[in-house]
């Protein structure tokens, strides 16, 4: 027994020393702050090589990193072109500190998701969101978005009201439907509420449907339904109509980005690796946009509607993805008919209706001075795409070309034309330089192609020049004399060191208390145990160790057996811990 006790004490001492050593190493790493400092050095060196990059961080009184905000030049360019609508949401478990990642995103001219900025935060309170929205405003040169869509988080709502007071705030439709299911658990209400939220009702129609639904389901006194109705201007299409959201109804695009980001980052990544992999993910998204630019200028779509001239004109001006969303309007424009036509000094007003529903009317105003159109359905103002009523008026006026007033710059093929002026402001970070140069050359070559293909001699001359230029560039690339981007060093001007952030503990959901029947053992029908630990089970631990006293055995010998068994189990556990620590 003495030798066994010495061995057991030695194992315990070794385990204790290994654990103490690991704690010491971890403590030193936390004090030095190697991970946070390396991440900031990486971002700072990138910003030094590319002055347009915006990086801000916040540390607490102990020097521990709390929030980290960054936005590169390409993201700022995207916001300058497509920053009229911004959506942002938080995701978790994307780094080893479990810090929430907040991504500001929007849509480009191909209706693809683009990223404006990213933030790593320690918590999600009102103060945090106010800080990151203020940093976002500073990065974008005080240009606030026109519309914002979120999941309805209370802290987000207060921060948006404080920093973006003039922005129209919309709530995510998917989160509202989920909340209705969890708060009421009434499928009839969820179905009718979805229609009230998403259907293209007039305001009076929405009010009638809502009050009828509430009265029919007996929800007049429900507090959650009353609060939901008081916020109807944030989710009902009838009230939101006229505010441009670019097709955003939910934050599902943010969830799609989180899914795509999961292919690049994992929960084991530290801060520096996370930021580097995040930039690689954004680079892949930008390369996908360049491919869409190519598809939009190569070839022509097959004309399918009865109005070939208008459809061909729209295909030339709009990007391919937006044109496919707009093309159904040509088919729907066959049913509305112009009933009346009135003239005024400033505009012509056309009243349209469908033969199937004569009581429903729409008014389309045509302003001849600016050749612009405005419909009472406000679809053009909401989506940026002309409605079928405006197309019907174009057909009535025998127009063969889509007016420029009906083509938003953000949906057109020339949406990236401003990139030329933006490139001159300064260098771009990472591979953003190559991407922006690609955009610029694509825009120039597209204009050159349109002009050169009209004349046979110019076409042949331009083809020879392009082939000669391509051959020369290939020779330069093969010889290895191509000038690339300067490698970014690790030099830093940080004063002192920033400590690593604390590990964020995710809050567990509080389970609802449910009333269940009393559980009894299946063998003896007694409480507070089950069949596995029952004394009637011959394979149970209680029957093998403690069962002797229950069956009337002598206590001394049985007690000695229990002590030896517990000692052996304790030693076995210590050995396992020691092996795990040594393996680590």
């Amino acid at each position: 027994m003495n030798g066994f006790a010495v061995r057991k004490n030695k194992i315990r001492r070794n385990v204790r020393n290994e654990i103490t050593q690991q704690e010491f190493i971890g403590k030193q790493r936390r004090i030095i702050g190697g991970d946070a400092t390396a991440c900031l050095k990486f971002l700072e060196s990138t910003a030094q090589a590319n002055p347009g990059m915006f990086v801000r961080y916040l540390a607490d009184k102990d020097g521990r990193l709390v929030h980290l905000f960054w936005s590169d030049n390409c993201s700022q360019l995207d916001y300058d072109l497509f920053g009229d609508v911004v959506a942002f949401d938080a995701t978790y478990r994307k780094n080893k500190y479990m810090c929430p990642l907040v991504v500001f995103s929007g849509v480009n001219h191909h209706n693809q998701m683009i990223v404006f900025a990213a933030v790593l935060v320690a918590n999600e309170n009102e103060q945090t969101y106010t800080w990151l929205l203020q940093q976002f405003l500073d990065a974008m040169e005080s240009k606030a978005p026109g519309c914002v869509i979120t999941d309805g988080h209370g802290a987000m709502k207060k921060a948006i009201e404080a920093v973006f007071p003039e922005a129209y705030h919309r709530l995510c439709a998917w989160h509202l439907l989920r909340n209705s299911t969890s708060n009421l658990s009434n499928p009839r209400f969820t179905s009718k509420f979805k229609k009230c939220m998403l259907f293209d009702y007039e305001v009076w129609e929405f009010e009638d449907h809502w009050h009828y639904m509430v009265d029919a389901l007996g929800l007049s006194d429900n507090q959650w339904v009353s609060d939901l109705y008081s916020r109807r201007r944030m989710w009902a299409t009838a009230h939101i109509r006229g505010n441009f959201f670019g097709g955003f109804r939910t934050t599902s695009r943010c969830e799609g980005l989180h899914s795509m980001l999961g292919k690049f980052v994992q929960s084991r990544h530290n801060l520096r690796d996370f930021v580097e992999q995040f930039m690689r993910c954004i680079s892949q998204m930008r390369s996908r946009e360049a491919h869409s630019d190519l598809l939009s200028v190569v070839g022509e779509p097959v004309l399918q509607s009865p109005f070939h001239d208008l459809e061909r004109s729209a295909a030339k001006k709009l990007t391919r993805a937006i044109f496919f969303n707009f093309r159904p309007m040509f088919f729907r424009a066959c049913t509305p008919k112009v009933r009346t036509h009135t003239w005024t000094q400033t505009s012509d007003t056309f009243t349209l209706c469908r033969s199937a529903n004569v009581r429903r009317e729409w008014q389309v105003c045509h302003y001849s001075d600016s050749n612009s159109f405005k419909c009472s359905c406000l679809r053009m103002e909401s989506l940026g795409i002309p409605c079928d009523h405006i197309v019907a008026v174009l057909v009535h006026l025998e127009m063969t070309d889509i007016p420029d007033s009906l083509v938003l710059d953000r949906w057109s093929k020339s949406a990236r034309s401003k990139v030329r002026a933006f490139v001159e402001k300064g260098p771009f970070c990472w591979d953003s330089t190559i991407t922006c140069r690609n955009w610029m050359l694509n825009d120039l070559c597209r204009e050159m192609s349109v002009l050169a293909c009209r004349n046979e001699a110019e076409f042949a001359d331009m083809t020879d020049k392009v082939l000669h230029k391509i051959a020369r560039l290939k020779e330069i690339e093969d010889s290895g004399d191509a000038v690339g981007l300067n490698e970014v060093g690790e030099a830093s001007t940080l004063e002192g060191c920033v400590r690593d952030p604390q590990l964020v503990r995710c809050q567990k959901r509080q389970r609802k208390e449910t009333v269940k029947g009393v559980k009894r053992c299946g063998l003896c029908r007694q409480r507070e145990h089950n069949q596995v630990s029952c004394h009637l089970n011959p394979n149970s631990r209680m029957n093998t160790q403690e069962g002797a006293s229950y069956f009337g055995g002598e206590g001394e010998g049985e007690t000695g057996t229990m002590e030896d068994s517990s000692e052996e189990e304790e030693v076995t556990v210590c050995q396992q811990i020691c092996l795990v620590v040594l393996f680590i």
Side-chain angles (χ1 to χ4, degrees):
M1 293 294 295
N2 293 334
F4 181 80
V6 172
R7 181 186 174 191
K8 181 175 66 175
N9 293 333
K10 184 177 180 180
I11 292 176
R12 288 178 176 175
R13 185 169 59 254
N14 292 337
V15 172
R16 191 183 309 112
N17 292 339
E18 291 291 336
I19 295 176
T20 304
Q21 185 178 4
Q22 293 293 330
E23 291 178 353
F24 176 78
I25 294 174
K27 183 178 180 181
Q28 290 298 320
R29 288 177 177 175
R30 288 192 297 268
I31 293 176
I32 296 174
D35 188 12
T37 304
C39 179
L40 292 177
K41 284 183 178 180
F42 171 74
L43 289 173
E44 185 188 29
S45 60
T46 307
Q48 288 177 355
N50 307 275
M53 187 171 182
F54 188 91
V55 180
R56 293 291 186 273
Y57 71 93
L58 182 66
D60 58 11
K61 60 181 180 181
D62 297 330
R64 195 179 295 274
L65 183 66
V66 180
H67 308 317
L68 178 61
F69 179 100
W70 72 92
S71 175
D72 64 4
N73 306 74
C74 253
S75 298
Q76 298 170 27
L77 169 62
D78 289 337
Y79 183 80
D80 186 60
L81 299 176
F82 312 110
D84 45 5
V85 180
V86 174
F88 63 95
D89 193 12
T91 184
Y92 300 88
R93 301 183 184 276
K94 296 298 184 182
N95 52 79
K96 77 175 187 178
Y97 300 101
M98 302 299 178
C99 296
L101 172 68
V102 181
V103 180
F104 294 86
S105 59
V107 290
N108 60 7
H109 53 310
H110 298 289
N111 202 24
Q112 297 173 343
M113 186 174 181
I114 51 177
V115 174
F116 301 138
V119 197
L120 284 172
V121 296
N123 50 60
E124 292 187 82
N125 53 33
E126 181 181 354
Q127 183 179 3
T128 297
Y129 279 110
T130 302
W131 180 85
L132 64 90
L133 289 182
Q134 187 61 50
Q135 301 305 316
F136 180 81
L137 201 62
D138 295 341
M140 305 307 169
E141 299 180 354
S142 301
K143 179 183 176 182
C147 299
V148 179
I149 180 169
T150 66
D151 59 359
H153 195 283
M156 289 184 183
K157 181 177 181 298
K158 294 179 181 179
I160 291 173
E161 292 176 352
V163 184
F164 302 149
E166 298 181 359
Y168 197 102
H169 186 193
R170 181 172 185 172
L171 300 180
C172 172
W174 183 85
H175 285 86
L176 289 176
L177 291 175
R178 187 187 63 175
N179 293 341
S180 66
T181 303
S182 60
N183 283 276
L184 297 179
S185 299
N186 190 335
R188 291 182 59 195
F189 174 82
T190 303
S191 177
K192 295 181 179 298
F193 170 60
K194 183 178 181 180
K195 294 180 180 179
C196 292
M197 178 171 55
L198 302 179
F199 276 30
D200 194 13
Y201 291 138
E202 296 291 338
V203 176
W204 62 269
E205 290 179 316
F206 165 79
E207 296 293 336
D208 292 343
H209 282 82
W210 177 268
H211 292 299
Y212 176 78
M213 174 189 66
V214 172
D215 295 339
L217 299 178
L219 300 174
S220 302
D221 298 332
N222 189 285
Q223 184 63 35
W224 184 83
V225 175
S226 300
D227 295 339
L228 184 65
Y229 178 73
S230 62
R231 297 181 296 168
R232 60 189 179 276
R233 296 185 180 277
M234 302 176 67
W235 53 264
T237 303
H239 292 278
I240 294 177
R241 186 190 296 111
N243 297 278
F244 181 77
F245 277 93
F248 270 100
R249 285 184 173 180
T250 66
T251 57
S252 58
R253 292 180 181 267
C254 300
E255 301 296 338
L257 173 62
H258 298 162
S259 177
M260 182 178 180
L261 187 61
K263 301 177 182 179
F264 291 83
V265 299
Q266 298 178 2
S267 58
R268 60 179 174 83
H269 282 158
N270 56 28
L271 293 181
R272 190 193 183 283
D273 293 340
F274 173 82
V275 174
E276 183 176 356
Q277 294 299 324
F278 182 85
M279 288 184 174
R280 293 187 184 276
C281 178
I282 302 304
S283 299
Q284 185 177 12
M285 296 174 60
R286 290 167 180 166
S287 63
R288 188 169 54 187
E289 178 183 336
H291 182 258
S292 299
D293 286 334
L294 178 63
L295 295 179
S296 294
V297 298
V298 174
E300 294 183 359
V302 178
L303 303 180
Q304 299 179 357
S305 71
F307 317 112
H308 286 182
D309 293 335
L310 289 175
E311 187 178 2
R312 185 181 296 107
S313 174
K316 290 181 179 180
K317 296 181 179 181
L318 298 173
T319 60
R320 190 65 55 86
I322 303 303
F323 170 72
F324 287 154
N325 291 336
F326 174 51
R327 184 157 62 179
M329 296 298 108
F330 291 104
F331 297 96
R332 297 180 57 183
C334 298
T335 54
K337 304 298 180 183
V338 177
R339 293 184 58 185
T340 59
H341 179 198
T342 58
W343 294 268
T344 62
Q345 295 181 353
T346 58
S347 64
D348 300 339
T349 303
F350 300 87
T351 303
L352 296 87
C353 69
R354 299 184 188 275
S355 57
N357 188 3
V358 183
R359 295 179 298 177
R360 187 79 180 269
E361 295 181 348
W362 298 272
Q363 285 75 36
V364 177
C365 297
H366 175 216
Y367 302 91
S368 56
D369 295 340
S370 58
N371 198 21
S372 59
F373 294 82
K374 186 175 182 180
C375 182
S376 59
C377 71
L378 299 179
R379 181 182 177 88
M380 180 65 192
E381 289 76 8
S382 302
L383 299 178
I385 300 176
C387 60
D388 51 340
H389 317 121
I390 294 180
V391 176
V393 173
L394 295 178
V395 175
H396 179 77
L397 296 176
E398 298 181 354
M399 290 188 177
T400 59
D401 188 23
I402 297 291
D404 293 337
S405 60
L406 297 178
V407 180
L408 293 185
D409 291 337
R410 68 166 352 270
W411 297 138
S412 65
K413 294 180 180 180
S414 59
R416 289 287 184 183
S417 59
K418 296 182 180 179
V419 73
R420 305 179 192 177
F422 199 89
V423 170
E424 298 176 357
K425 293 183 180 180
F428 285 75
C429 66
W430 261 57
D431 56 350
S432 302
T433 306
I434 301 176
T435 304
C436 287
R437 290 171 181 170
N438 190 8
W439 288 337
M440 185 173 179
L441 287 176
N442 284 337
D443 188 60
L444 292 174
C445 291
R446 182 177 61 84
E447 184 178 357
M448 179 191 67
S449 300
V450 172
L451 296 175
C453 67
R454 297 175 181 176
N455 185 278
E456 184 176 357
E458 292 294 336
F459 171 75
D461 181 63
M462 192 60 61
T463 302
D464 294 338
K465 291 180 179 179
V466 171
L467 292 176
H468 177 72
K469 191 68 176 179
I470 291 175
R472 191 180 69 85
L473 291 176
K474 286 184 177 180
E475 291 178 359
I476 295 176
E477 185 177 2
D478 294 339
S479 62
D481 297 334
V483 180
L485 296 177
N486 295 328
E487 294 185 359
V488 179
E490 293 294 333
S492 176
T493 58
L494 290 174
E495 297 181 359
C497 296
V498 180
R499 299 173 60 188
D500 295 345
Q502 291 183 347
L503 180 65
V504 177
R505 302 293 182 182
C506 298
Q507 297 181 357
K508 296 183 179 180
R509 296 182 178 179
Q510 297 181 356
R511 297 183 178 180
K512 297 181 179 180
E513 297 182 358
T514 57
V515 180
K516 297 182 178 180
V518 178
K519 293 185 177 181
R520 298 179 182 270
C521 176
L523 297 177
C524 66
R525 306 303 299 172
Q526 299 295 326
R527 301 180 183 178
E528 299 181 356
H529 69 274
N530 53 21
Q531 297 181 14
V532 177
S533 58
C534 182
H535 61 274
L536 297 180
N537 186 359
N539 298 325
S540 66
R541 181 178 177 182
M542 181 183 296
N543 194 12
T544 56
Q545 295 181 0
E546 300 177 357
S549 60
Y550 181 85
F551 288 106
E554 296 293 334
E556 184 177 356
E558 307 301 334
T559 305
T561 303
M562 290 173 58
E563 290 179 355
D564 293 342
S565 177
S566 61
E567 279 187 352
E568 292 177 359
E569 290 177 357
E570 185 177 3
V571 173
T572 303
V573 172
C574 292
Q575 292 175 350
Q576 293 176 355
I577 296 176
C578 185
L579 290 175
V580 172
V581 173
L582 292 177
F583 178 76
I584 294 176

